[in-house]
Amino acid sequence: DEMQVGRVGFSTWDTTVKFDNVRLTAADGTEVYSDGFTSSTGKWTIPTGGNWTVNDGAMVQGDQNMQGNICWLNVDGMSSYTYEVEATKISGAEGFLIAFNYLDDKNYAWWNLGGWSNKKHGVEVCTNGTKTTVVQCDGQIETGKTYQVKIVVEGTKVSCYLDGELKHQFTLNVKQKVYTAVSLNK
C-alpha cells in the first residue's frame, strides 16, 4: 500500500492565466512555501511549452495555444498538505489546471477548472500517460475574475475548494504492490 508522494503546480489549456499567492502548508499547519511572485520564478520549474513570465507580482502563462504543460514547484512532496493558489483567466476557451501529486509529466493529478469547453470542473488523474476523470461537476470560469483555489490532500483523501466552497471530495486510487511467494516441497 505505497502512495507515491508528488509535488504541486499549475497549467492552462487553450487559455492565458495569471497565478498568484501560492501557499503550501504541511498537515500540521506549518507553511512550507509561499510565493507572491514579486521578482523571480523562485522554486518553480518552468515547462517546455507555453510562455511563462513573472509579471506584476504574478506568474503568467501567456500562450493561448498551450495545452497542459505543468509548471511545478520544486520542493519535496508530502503525503498530506494544503495547496492554495489564486488564478485569474485572462483569455481563452477554458479555465485553468491546478496540479497536485505531480511526479512527472506522465504521472500527476490536476483539478481542471472550466474544462470541457468551460462547462465543467473535474479532477483528472494521469497514470503512465493515461488520463482518467475521477470526479466532475458543472461549473465555468469567468474571464477576469480571481478565483481562490484550495486542494487539501490527506493521504489518499482529497478535498477541492473553489472560493471557499467544497466542490469535490474523493479518495485517490493507490497503486497496490502485489507480493507473491512460491515454495516447492520436494
Side-chain angles (χ1 to χ4, degrees):
D1 216 23
E2 184 183 309
M3 181 164 172
Q4 291 186 304
V5 177
R7 296 179 175 95
V8 298
F10 37 68
S11 187
T12 64
W13 196 280
D14 291 342
T15 52
T16 59
V17 177
K18 176 172 81 171
F19 298 98
D20 200 3
N21 296 321
V22 169
R23 194 157 172 249
L24 184 62
T25 313
D28 66 3
T30 308
E31 186 172 274
V32 175
Y33 186 81
S34 68
D35 204 333
F37 299 105
T38 47
S39 59
S40 74
T41 54
K43 294 186 178 211
W44 295 91
T45 300
I46 307 298
T48 305
N51 178 12
W52 299 88
T53 55
V54 171
N55 199 341
D56 288 335
M59 176 78 81
V60 177
Q61 195 298 109
D63 178 356
Q64 197 165 297
N65 298 313
M66 200 268 290
Q67 294 186 325
N69 299 35
I70 297 172
C71 176
W72 56 274
L73 182 59
N74 194 11
V75 298
D76 290 342
M78 297 168 283
S79 57
S80 296
Y81 57 90
T82 298
Y83 174 38
E84 297 168 274
V85 59
E86 291 177 3
T88 309
K89 176 167 100 170
I90 300 166
S91 67
E94 299 211 346
F96 34 83
L97 304 160
I98 308 300
F100 60 101
N101 287 15
Y102 176 87
L103 295 170
D104 56 44
D105 63 2
K106 296 201 180 320
N107 296 280
Y108 58 86
W110 67 27
W111 189 10
N112 185 345
L113 290 144
W116 298 274
S117 303
N118 203 14
K119 291 182 172 42
K120 296 185 183 298
H121 304 320
V123 175
E124 296 174 284
V125 175
C126 186
T127 306
N128 298 326
T130 302
K131 265 191 290 201
T132 308
T133 303
V134 291
V135 287
Q136 204 175 55
C137 68
D138 290 341
Q140 64 184 55
I141 295 299
E142 296 170 38
T143 301
K145 179 181 175 188
T146 299
Y147 292 88
Q148 310 288 328
V149 181
K150 180 165 98 171
I151 298 173
V152 180
V153 177
E154 300 163 284
T156 58
K157 183 182 160 208
V158 180
S159 305
C160 299
Y161 299 86
L162 187 61
D163 291 337
E165 184 185 334
L166 180 64
K167 293 288 185 185
H168 308 293
Q169 196 163 47
F170 61 96
T171 301
L172 282 171
N173 271 337
V174 178
K175 284 190 219 128
Q176 303 285 331
K177 283 192 175 172
V178 178
Y179 296 95
T180 58
V182 177
S183 63
L184 285 173
N185 294 327
K186 290 190 173 178

